Structures are given as structure tokens and as C-alpha cells.
Amino acid sequence: MAKIAFILLCHKDPDAIIKQAQSLTAVGDYMSIHFDARAPKADYDRIRAALADNPNVTFPKRRVKCGWGAWSLVQATLNALGAATDAFPRATHFYMLSGDCMAIKSARYAHGLLDRREVDYIESFDYFKSDWIKTGWKEERLVYRHWFNERTQKKRFYAMFELQKRLGLTREIPRDIEVMIGSQWWCLRRRTVAWILDFCRQRRDVMRFFRGTWIPDETFFQTLVRHLVPAQEIESRTLTFLMFTDYGMPVVFHNDHYDLLLSQDFLFARKISPEARELKRRLGVLYASDGARFRISDEGRSLYRFLTEKGRIGRRFAPRFWETESSLGRDRELLIVVCRKWQVARRLVQRMRQVTDIPCIEYLFNDESCALPDLGGIQSTVAKRHRHRRALMRMLFDYYESERLVVCLDPSNLDLLEDFCRDRSVSRLLEIECRYSDAYLTGHAMRVGLAGDHTPRETLNCLLPAIRNDMVHESDRIRDAQFENHLLMREIDNPAQNARPIAAFLGVTEDTALELARTDNLFAD
């Protein structure tokens, strides 16, 4: 059975470190603690004193002064690994943690997961071919020498870089290794750790190279594992759940994230807020629990993206210069059906095709598979359709040889509505207001990745009101825009009432509009 030696790098909050060590070692696992040498000695002494009688805790003989992005973080990890391998001969796995990490599964679950597969869990992506680095330096991290800390010695750091760049003082990467990159939060088998420590003693050239790189904790272990371990024995993922904001800062978890964290397909989570005392208490108890059951839905990242994107409403790229002052045509009519429930709009539009001669196109700006004629490639992707929206619509009017055209849009496409309704052509909106049952909202959450088959009911109960409010908010935004010729039909109204907006929208007789309003199963889910 797996036994884990946790490699804990930390620099603050000694009381939390003591509790973390006691919690994780209570079930028989181990911990090697490196407490930053920059931190107060009194804090370090307090940790050692509190854990002195715990045989499952050890400390490296030498503490290192750590700095972000510097080799010191790797050296501290190697020191802690060395201490752990010597002190805990029964440890089968070595798991990298920080003081801000906490278990989101029980020890029984964690051991079972590690027992099932004979692999190392570490993100290991090709440094040059992958897009793991989104912005900033890439090659510069490796081919130039970085001896100063960018955070504490910024002027020296950049002065040295500019000097090397001006003089062309680059260096070669050791020829027999391929540099990899990934998260610094990994879980490695004992054999792999032994290989790494032996490699460090034998390959001084590789050690010298990585000592001069920038942010080596994202490349050193990732490169060595890929160099030493067969590819089929590497699972290129981390077992620690972490997310980043748009500003590159780690997302911090609070007391109300407990259920969400437990449903993620990870063993630990980072970062837990220092103020989240109730969350820390519950997670601290969790690791030693024996009867906990976990329903993995793994929708954490999509939920976070859904909620944070609500703060970006109304943002829109400027129009392309070649579309400025362009028009769909002064005498043309663009008839837009707006509905969140696509199947409802499609049923109505299908019936419109049967009783009128107006060309109808369903959700061309939302559905990649929407049937469109060949217009020279402008219709090939949703992104192109958005980018060349007016040109696309003019070509469709021309293709169908019609001065009237019906299209369906999702209510989230406010930018398209604003663009088309400002055009010199005549635009009419028929908004279809539907009721949203819990069953529909649950299905919607699963379709868009906000939930899965195993999402706990408690999570859904919190999520459904947010989705319902979001849909209502989209409708409110459309009405706040005060578009001319904005008509509304509602599921709660009878066919006779809905016939009036349909007649005004299409310019048809009341009998024809009533026939459309009576479309079979129009509002069925």
C-alpha cells in the first residue's frame, strides 16, 4: 500500500504548519519540512519543538534562503527530498506541497489512487513546442544566465540580462536533455526520486545549467523525470488543484468552497485562504476520515470561468476598418429571433419556412454546424462569421436573392444585436421568453461543462439559481438597450396573445401568425 512522504516548502504561519503536519502524518504518512531560512528563527524553533516527538516528521540538515523564480527553491526541495529518503525508507511516493495546500480527499482515497497505477504524476510538456508559457520570456529563461533575484534585485537582474544580450553571451542547453516545463506541484515514486538524486550527483554540468536559469522549479524536475523515466510511466498532470486569475495570480479558496473542492479530481488544493478557518478545520479532519465518499464532477475550472466572466459584460472589439460605414442595405429587413432555448426558436423558424417565403437561418453565429452555403470560406468557422458579420449577412441576402432574412441569435450575443440594430437596414427583434425548470437548467449546466453526471446535489442547488439569474440578466440587458422594433412573445401567454408580436415581426396576417403561434410542442423541453 502506498505511503506518502510529503515535501513541504513553507515560510510563514508556524501554527498552520504544525496542524498540517499533525493531520497528514496521523494516518501513517510522513513529512519533510523545509522552513525558509529567511523566516524568523523563533518560528522555526516553534515548529521543531511542537513536532519533536513525531517520528513521521523530519527536517533537512540545511535550510536555504528562498526567493521566487530562483534556484534556491529547487535546492530547498532537493534538501527536503534527501532528508525524506533517509528518514523514511518505507515511503513509496514523495508529494510536493506548500504551506497553502490542504488535502481535499481522505488518505484512503489518496493511497488507493496511487496504488492503482505505477506512474509519476508531474506536468511535463515540451518547453519550446507547448504553449505552457502564455506571455513573457521563453528562450531567454534558458540561454542567458540569471544570477540575481528578479523580485529583490530587479535592477541587477535586468542589467545583467541586457549586458549578455548586447554582447551575445548566450549558452547552449546540455545536448542530451530536452527541457520540459510544468507545474511545480508533483508526486513522484521512490525509484524516480532516487534516480533524480543520483543524477544530481553525477551530472554537475546539468546542475550548473539549471542553477543559472530563471524559474527553474517549473523546469528542473519536469526535465529530469522525462529524461530518466519511460514515457508510459509519466502521467503529465498534477494531483494538486489550482487555478489562476486573468492577472496570473492564484485563485484563493474560502469557507464556502468545501463542496466544490471535494468534487474535483485532485488530492490537494492550493491556495487555501489563511482566514478560511472553517474550511481548514473541515479539510484537516477529512484526510484522516475513513468513511468519506467522493463524487467526482471536476467542474471547478468551468464554474470559475462562468462566474468571473460575468464581470466582463458589454465588452466588444472595435469594428474592422473595412466594415466601417458599411451597411446590410437600406431597403433590406433583418428579422432576428432571440431565444436561449435553441430548440424553441428552431421549431418556430422551421414553421416559418413552411408558411412564408422568407429564408431562415438558425444560430449561424453560435452553431459551428449550422448549414450555410459556400460563400468563399467566410462562413467556415464561427470565429470568421463573427469577425466578418456584416459582410457575411450581405452575402447571404445576395445568395438568397431576398430583401428579407430571418436569423436566430442567442441572447448572449448582445454585441451582434447592437451592431445589426444600428445598421441603416430595418431590423426587428422577436424575443422568446421561456420558463426554465430545474431539469432544463441542470441539462444546460451539463451541456456547457458547468456540471457533470457526478456533480453533488448540493453543488447543483447553489449553481442553478446563478444560471437562472444569468439568463434573466441577459434578457434584461437586451431590454435595457431599448432597441427599436423589439417584440416579445412569452411561454406563459396563449397563442392568440403571441400571434400579435409574430404578425408585427413578420408582417403577416393575424391568421398566419396564429398558425405559427400554435406550432406543435413549441415550448417543450
Side-chain angles (χ1 to χ4, degrees), residues 65-165:
K65 292 182 178 180
C66 296
W68 183 90
W71 169 256
S72 53
L73 289 174
V74 177
Q75 188 62 62
T77 306
L78 290 172
N79 292 353
L81 276 172
T85 55
D86 292 341
F88 311 125
R90 297 180 60 195
T92 62
H93 293 77
F94 297 79
Y95 196 119
M96 183 75 177
L97 288 178
S98 77
D100 295 320
C101 297
M102 290 202 72
I104 56 175
K105 297 292 184 294
S106 65
R108 177 190 288 261
Y109 184 100
H111 296 158
L113 184 146
L114 296 178
D115 281 335
R116 282 196 291 275
R117 298 185 64 196
E118 188 63 24
V119 296
D120 296 303
Y121 292 91
I122 181 169
E123 283 189 353
S124 182
F125 303 105
D126 188 286
Y127 187 91
F128 294 101
K129 295 179 182 178
S130 72
D131 63 346
W132 202 86
I133 298 176
K134 302 297 183 184
T135 59
W137 286 357
K138 193 167 188 176
E139 185 179 18
E140 293 88 345
R141 290 194 191 188
L142 306 179
V143 300
Y144 295 107
R145 298 161 181 82
H146 303 281
W147 297 115
F148 299 104
N149 187 284
E150 193 269 345
R151 294 285 177 90
T152 60
Q153 298 170 294
K154 191 178 292 289
K155 288 184 178 180
R156 291 181 177 179
F157 178 89
Y158 287 106
M160 182 177 179
F161 167 72
E162 292 297 338
L163 178 63
Q164 293 178 85
K165 187 177 177 181

